[in-house]
């Protein structure tokens, strides 16, 4: 059994990690830390885990993380970077679900996150944990930067066509919609039921932190600086991201459907749906799947890609477990085989 | 008092019309027809109107519509076109909330609605009932084709910039999101709570009937055949449309904010929000307002317009009442002055 | 025009008050105060009111409340009691939507609200603002204690049968369900969309502050100390209270339907529905109505009363405006005549 | 591997059965029938199962159900009774999730279900599949009548106190609240999102089919004809039942908490929560758990039991799988060990 620690497990990402890990056939949760809830049984904070986990939250300062084989950071941004260096020296593997190690460029990171990076020397060795792009590197990595939820949905929509060079990299628009759990488990008025239910809105149109994360990967895929317009929106639902991605095709008569099916034919968690499909987010709820469908309306030159994931699973904790499986040479689907919850 | 008839009032659009009309200071509902519910008190079908309306649904065949000054059709498509000619001959004014008289081209109509138009000779005199474009024509019209909900939200977002010629008319993308009431008051599995709640999806990516309606108006505004990619989505909420409209700017250094404020400064129901705003659909719930916000992310060349309306009000019944007010020379806001319901 | 001040208008009750007052034909909002938002335009905090209100929030310390004819307190509990005495001395009328003046017994108040009452001398002159019970006293009152939302729904369900003496006052159970707006506009984790959506639970089973408020009135109606078991629950919706009230009938062969219809026949906001009805909360959304239906399952001895209100309207701001209308001799329905918003 | 057939798998109960069975370590789905969808891949109807099930729906008339070890009926009421006799003769085991075999009394069944029972001779051998009451009988049964969702939640709340004789069996009130999935996967206007969202109501107060099912079991437990008032309500959520059960205590000074903990201490799916708890339905979402909490408000004589289940899991398909496990001598939790999905 792989011995697992989870740092900062009081958020929704942490809860989702625990849900997946207590059911994982080859992993065992050894330590769960939380500054705010230390000493309390995890199941007191998360009654859905009553019976599944007996641990109490321990103090991040004094917890025995070094006894673990791997530590997941489900902490707010700018937290993991302070603890990761020591743990890496201790020989542990790290999967960071925050944004601390996603950008290669420390200065770019500073601009978006408002402070100097505390472990910039590690940015080079951190592997961006999108298995569909970086599976081999992840297998050898000691530090994996788990991708953000929006980037996961958007990049998976774009990999086949950017790799194949069939779209204009200057024409990409990603209109993305997220459930409210993406905003985290926080006491904020804007997340109040009465502020988010029975309404819909865009936010951060002027610029969202995930934009730079997306561009970093898309630039590599497109072999040039791509132009991406990214507008996120809030949907009155708990889980799910739906990205509607638009791009201009460079030539007609491309068999887009085959392009996607071929690129993803060996991917265990990518489902290229039949031509004409409209994937809904509930079809992946609680699962690690990404479902994709490609459309060319009116046989014109605008390609529309629909991409759905569960933001807490493939967009966070599920992908993190997938990365753990790869890093430890397990079956990549271990602990992730259950079907989505629908309805 | 203006004497009003409502044909086909058992849908959500009909209910919304009645909600507005029973509260209108200068209108009186005389006749409400329904084939399926004839003979039953309106308030039995719509308990929210108990105390506000004493009428029973009457049979559309035998009802005394000719005693009215104006008749609203809240019928399914391809119904009004059979009844409107006779009523017009009787001297009544007609506001049709269905799609029967929105397209000028009978052949185009036939292609989208799957049958020959029964009153093609009226298409020329029907006025497209978007007051922000056609106020003067509406004032003189005897037959108003009330715009569709998506077209209302999208066209209002585009009028200032197409009129000003500052965007490339070949670059328009409208990513639109609608509450479930847009699908109508029907016994359909796909509208079941368990099929639509806690999920999000696109639909009709291959082509939606509202596309031709939008293009007809946008072509005129843009003085050329525009290229519009339109993708509608379903939001798990009852009311509201949010259109996120993208277009490529033809030149930099345009004061977009002023352009919108100037164009709409005398419009009673258009609210151009301050630069940087993110209007939410609840801010217009139950009201006839459209709120707009313009963004140019990263000072690039892609303009993003956010446009919100209540699909049942400004997107249907509210705009119909606004049109009635204009047609009868009333204060354009009569019966439409109450604030939105929030939260 | 009646000149109105609203103290503490940044909550949902305050917003609802403003929504009603800006549309009221005989009232004008003069002052709106808020400690936290002073100086900001009201419409910046509540975009749904853009265009309807030009005022800024003023500082409660320095605002010109004394220029008003009536002041509404939409403040947290234990706030109004500090300001009301001075305003009363200034000759103003007060409608307090908080719990400060609802209980006649200062000691009981202290027990539930955890502090000494700062204006206990006013408890005797404060009139409990349930017009269906106290209309005449309200008309003469200078200080009205606006009822709580749960008490309004529960007491209105019980008035006819307690007055008529047909139930055992020792047998009353009120199983009540409230939308989330009842918890207020607060940054609290427990009100987060992800904590309240797609779930249902009871709370405060051991004892809720509204219990004493209900019992005070029910004891008077029942002419004895009644026994009331009250269990509140949270429903994943914004607005609405549904109270399901159970009581044991003292004798058979009572025409319960007539009892209710007779008692409430002159009440403008009470709708006794036909026998066998199941009122839903949306049928009163945004309106000041209470709809009631009485059932005797299986012709047994348990009476079931279903009572629905909008917690923000008849359960708070709407009833407050109704009280203002009574206090100033206006038509009791002034400003409250619009139909509910449905769907 | 146990070979499984599912008859009538196009409803939500059928979908939930398939979700559980494809993940079950010792069961294999061999046949899935549907009259309406025969020939179509199951995953076309239920995209959430794409990749998990390759079967097509087969015609119930010609399908090879006899090759199965056990057949689940997830059919509408009055369907299974026509097919079960032949299958039993073929040696198969049957778990019927409909109401056909729940009542022992064929005449009572006829009264509620409006027709003569087609297999009344089997009612005696059918075992009511509530493992917490009938585990031993289920182990030997060939025909199990899987309990209804409301009866499961209500009976589990009452077993300890009726067995112990501490409440007045004439005083029971069950105020129950169900998510919309309880109404089935049907094209009915009343289940439309716009009819059920953002609203709350009671239904069937005059009498619900589950009442007789509950009374049959409660009468046995209480050793007398109990008096049960049962009022079901609809909650705007997909999954979950919350039963709030009231009963009068016969004596004071009973340690209710210990009574529940003791009765259920060996039950794998019953969670007696700490005194003072308020279980929420999301804490059991997608799982086979029932969580219970007992309260005695004000130390009075009214006991309040809160009971939550997922109506599709412990209230239907999960309990059916639990019964299968018992009937085939498997670990009772096999295939049911994953944690609930929260948030």
């Amino acid at each position: 059994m792989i011995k697992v620690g989870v740092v900062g497990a009081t958020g929704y990402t942490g809860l989702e990690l625990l849900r997946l890990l207590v059911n994982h056939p080859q992993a065992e949760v050894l330590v769960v830390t939380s500054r705010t809830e230390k000493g309390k049984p995890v199941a007191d904070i998360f009654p859905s885990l009553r019976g599944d986990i007996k641990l109490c939250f321990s103090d991040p300062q004094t917890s025995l993380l070094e006894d673990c084989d791997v530590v997941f950071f489900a902490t707010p941004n700018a937290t993991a970077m302070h603890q990761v260096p020591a743990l890496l020296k201790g020989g542990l593997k790290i999967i960071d679900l925050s944004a601390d190690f996603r950008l290669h460029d420390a200065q770019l990171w500073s601009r978006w996150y408002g402070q100097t990076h505390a472990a910039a020397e590690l940015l080079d060795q951190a592997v961006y944990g999108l298995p569909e792009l970086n599976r081999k590197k992840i297998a050898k990595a000691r530090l994996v930067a788990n991708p953000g939820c929006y980037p996961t949905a958007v990049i998976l929509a774009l990999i086949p066509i950017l790799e194949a060079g069939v779209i204009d990299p200057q024409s990409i628009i990603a209109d993305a919609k997220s459930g409210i759990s993406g905003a985290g488990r926080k006491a904020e008025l804007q997340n109040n039921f009465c502020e988010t239910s029975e309404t819909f809105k865009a936010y951060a149109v002027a610029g969202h932190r995930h934009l730079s994360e997306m561009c970093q990967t898309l630039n590599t895929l497109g072999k040039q600086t791509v132009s991406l317009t990214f507008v996120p929106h809030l949907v009155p639902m708990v889980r799910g991201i739906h990205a509607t991605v638009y791009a201009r095709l460079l030539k007609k008569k491309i068999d887009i459907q085959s392009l996607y099916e071929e690129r993803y034919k060996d991917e265990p968690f990518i489902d290229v749906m039949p031509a004409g499909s409209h994937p809904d987010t509930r079809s992946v709820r609680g699962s690690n799947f990404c479902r994709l469908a490609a459309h060319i309306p009116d046989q014109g030159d605008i390609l529309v890609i629909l991409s759905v994931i569960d933001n807490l699973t493939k967009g966070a904790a599920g992908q993190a477990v997938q990365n753990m499986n790869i890093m430890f040479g397990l079956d990549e689907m271990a602990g992730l085989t259950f079907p989505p919850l629908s309805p």
Side-chain angles (χ1 to χ4, degrees), chain A:
Chain A
M1 299 294 271
I2 298 165
K3 286 172 284 179
V4 175
V6 180
V7 177
T10 54
Y12 294 132
T13 298
L15 169 55
E16 183 74 348
L17 258 180
L18 294 176
R19 181 180 76 91
L20 297 174
L21 290 169
V22 299
N23 200 38
H24 194 290
Q26 289 154 283
E28 180 191 13
V29 181
L30 214 71
V31 183
V32 182
T33 79
S34 161
R35 207 173 337 214
T36 52
E37 305 290 356
K38 62 188 174 194
K40 284 192 203 156
V42 172
D44 278 13
I45 306 299
F46 297 131
S48 62
L49 295 179
R50 283 173 60 86
D52 282 311
I53 192 162
K54 307 290 177 206
L55 292 171
C56 291
F57 288 106
S58 57
D59 187 328
Q61 301 310 320
T62 61
S63 68
L64 301 175
L65 288 172
E66 57 267 34
D67 294 347
C68 298
D69 299 310
V70 58
V71 171
F72 293 88
F73 280 84
T75 42
N77 295 323
T79 306
M81 64 183 184
H82 295 292
Q83 288 187 261
V84 162
L87 291 170
L88 280 180
K89 273 184 201 137
L92 281 73
K93 295 182 178 183
I94 303 291
I95 300 171
D96 178 22
L97 287 84
S98 83
D100 286 12
F101 297 99
R102 290 183 197 154
L103 299 183
H104 303 323
D105 180 339
Q107 300 216 328
L108 187 62
W109 191 92
S110 295
R111 213 174 309 144
W112 282 103
Y113 295 94
Q115 55 190 292
T116 303
H117 200 290
E121 72 283 3
L122 293 177
L123 293 178
D124 272 350
Q125 59 168 285
V127 174
Y128 190 66
L130 195 69
E132 292 76 9
L133 270 187
N134 297 330
R135 183 170 284 111
K136 285 186 185 165
K137 287 186 194 166
I138 295 165
K140 296 180 196 156
R142 294 186 49 225
L143 170 56
V144 164
N146 212 58
C149 50
Y150 284 125
T152 297
V154 171
I155 296 170
L156 289 173
L158 287 165
I159 288 174
I161 46 178
L162 276 175
E163 284 181 350
V166 299
I167 59 160
D168 174 1
Q170 300 309 313
S171 72
I172 309 171
I173 290 174
D175 188 291
K177 301 87 174 173
S178 172
I180 313 294
S181 63
R185 187 169 172 270
K186 295 175 202 145
E188 291 180 340
L189 178 58
Q190 66 190 15
N191 296 334
N192 190 305
F193 182 90
C194 300
E195 301 291 314
T196 49
S197 171
E198 190 58 23
T199 193
F200 185 90
K201 68 166 187 172
Y203 68 102
V205 179
H208 186 284
R209 287 168 171 184
H210 283 176
L211 183 62
S212 55
E213 181 185 336
M214 284 186 258
C215 287
Q216 173 178 278
T217 295
L218 298 181
N219 291 347
T220 306
L221 282 170
K223 294 175 194 117
Q224 59 179 279
T225 302
V226 305
S227 164
L228 169 66
T229 301
F230 170 61
V231 177
H233 303 74
L234 281 179
V235 185
M237 61 183 185
V238 177
R239 287 169 177 251
I241 282 182
H242 185 292
T244 313
V245 182
Y246 304 85
R248 190 172 296 269
L249 287 164
L250 290 175
K251 40 185 174 176
K252 300 240 170 181
K253 307 222 177 177
I254 302 163
D255 183 348
I256 290 290
Q257 183 70 21
S258 298
L259 194 65
Y260 276 82
E261 289 179 358
E262 186 60 26
R263 174 59 177 83
Y264 287 135
K265 68 175 189 295
D266 295 325
E267 286 298 336
F269 292 113
I270 309 295
D271 176 22
V272 178
M273 298 189 73
S277 295
H278 299 98
D280 52 1
T281 60
R282 67 178 179 142
S283 75
V284 296
R285 187 188 303 135
S287 85
N288 203 47
F289 287 99
C290 171
R291 299 199 204 275
L292 295 167
H295 294 253
I296 306 177
D298 262 334
Q299 302 308 317
D301 64 346
I302 301 294
L303 175 66
V304 181
I305 310 294
L306 313 176
S307 169
V308 299
I309 60 169
D310 185 321
N311 57 306
L312 295 180
T313 322
K314 182 63 176 169
Q319 187 148 261
V321 170
Q322 183 182 359
N323 280 322
M324 178 188 79
N325 290 343
I326 296 171
M327 292 165 87
F328 286 86
L330 310 181
D331 178 348
E332 194 168 326
M333 300 188 75
L336 297 168
T337 54
F338 49 84
L341 187 77
S342 175

